Amino acid sequence: MTKTLHLENDIAQVPLLAEWVEMLGEELMLPMPAVFQLNLALEEAVVNVMNYAYPDESGMPVELEAKTDESSDTICFVLSDEGIAFDPTQQDDPDITLSAEERNIGGLGIFLVQQMMQSVAYERSGGKNILTMIYKVER
C-alpha cells in the first residue's frame, strides 16, 4: 500500500497532515499510541520543511508518502521538497541535560523524529530533499 499527501509550505495545512495520519492509522489498524507518535514525529518533520525549505516563497510543494505491505509492521515515510538543500540528520543532537534556558534554540524536532523512528536517512536527489523515515509498529 502506498498513500501520498500533497501539501504546500503553509502551516495552515498542518491539520490536513493530522487527518491523513489518522486515516492511515485506521486503514492499517494501528494502536492509538502509534498514531499519536506518528502524528507528532511527522508534524515535526513537515513543519520544519514548511518553515525552512522555502524561506521566501509560498505555495511550494511538500510531499509525504507512506509505504507498507500487509506482511510487515514497518512503515516507510518519504518526505520530499524542492527547497534549499538541508540534511537534518547531520545536525548535532541537542544537550537535553541542560535546562530550557541554557539550551540553544532548535534541534529538538529532528532529535524527536530520530527517537520515534527506527531509522532516519537523508539524500539530495534530482533537486529534492528526501527524508526517509522508517517506523516500526509496536502492537
Side-chain angles (χ1 to χ4, degrees):
M1 175 205 72
T2 300
K3 297 284 183 186
T4 306
L5 176 66
H6 299 278
L7 300 170
E8 293 179 357
N9 63 324
D10 181 352
I11 297 299
Q13 292 200 337
V14 170
L16 298 174
L17 172 64
E19 291 173 16
W20 185 80
V21 171
E22 286 187 28
M23 178 200 65
L24 188 67
E26 287 176 15
E27 285 185 28
L28 297 175
M29 295 180 287
L30 299 177
M32 280 311 296
V35 173
F36 175 78
Q37 195 173 50
L38 282 173
N39 193 39
L40 184 60
L42 294 172
E43 183 176 314
E44 282 292 335
V46 168
V47 168
N48 278 343
V49 169
M50 289 178 169
N51 284 334
Y52 303 113
Y54 308 101
D56 300 320
E57 300 175 78
S58 60
M60 301 304 292
V62 177
E63 184 176 288
L64 181 61
E65 186 175 71
K67 301 178 203 171
T68 189
D69 58 50
E70 290 75 34
S71 64
S72 173
D73 277 339
T74 302
I75 308 168
C76 176
F77 292 96
V78 179
L79 177 62
S80 62
D81 66 83
E82 299 169 4
I84 296 168
F86 178 71
D87 182 352
T89 66
Q90 294 301 308
Q91 304 307 302
D92 291 334
D93 286 344
D95 185 349
I96 57 175
T97 63
L98 298 175
S99 69
E101 294 79 27
E102 296 174 302
R103 207 173 19 236
N104 290 332
I105 294 174
L108 283 175
I110 190 63
F111 178 75
L112 178 74
V113 171
Q114 290 172 321
Q115 296 304 305
M116 292 184 179
M117 297 290 176
Q118 185 176 1
S119 69
V120 178
Y122 169 85
E123 70 175 304
R124 180 82 178 175
S125 179
K128 290 186 176 186
N129 293 304
I130 302 168
L131 190 66
T132 302
M133 301 164 281
I134 306 296
Y135 183 79
K136 176 82 169 118
V137 180
E138 302 294 329
R139 297 197 187 258

